[in-house]
Amino acid sequence: QVQLVESGGALVQPGGSLRLSCAASGTRISAYAMVWYRQAPGNGREMVASISAGGIPNYRDTVKGRFSISRDNAKNTVYLEMNSLKPEDTAVYYCNRVATPAWSWGQGTQVTVST
């Protein structure tokens, strides 16, 4: 069974930075495109960034130029570097594979951008 563990979330001021990690166990992620999602209170889950098995990234328009997704297949981990954070980035962040069905969801990591 695949397990995903997200970490790195925190309370940060606007303009700050965070690095999120998603560690997978139970499978090797190297063959899979991976994706970071986020869900804010009262909103549905939305795609933030994805990365192909070959390392090609894709971003939602609102985070382009601020966020960077990467992967370390040797560590079985996907990262999300977030810079110039805005209050509207506040959400719980989750990772998973792009393909369906999704793996079991992790607990997510809370990112709060506030003064």
Side-chain angles (χ1 to χ4, degrees), residues 63-111:
V63 307
K64 283 181 180 177
R66 300 189 297 122
F67 290 13
S68 177
I69 188 171
S70 62
R71 62 193 301 156
D72 186 335
N73 292 331
K75 294 183 178 180
N76 226 28
T77 300
V78 181
Y79 302 99
L80 186 67
E81 187 81 30
M82 305 188 296
N83 299 307
S84 301
L85 282 161
K86 303 176 180 181
E88 50 264 43
D89 295 318
T90 294
V92 180
Y93 285 70
Y94 303 87
C95 70
N96 215 303
R97 65 174 177 176
V98 171
T100 56
W103 290 324
S104 296
W105 293 94
Q107 81 289 348
T109 187
Q110 175 71 50
V111 173

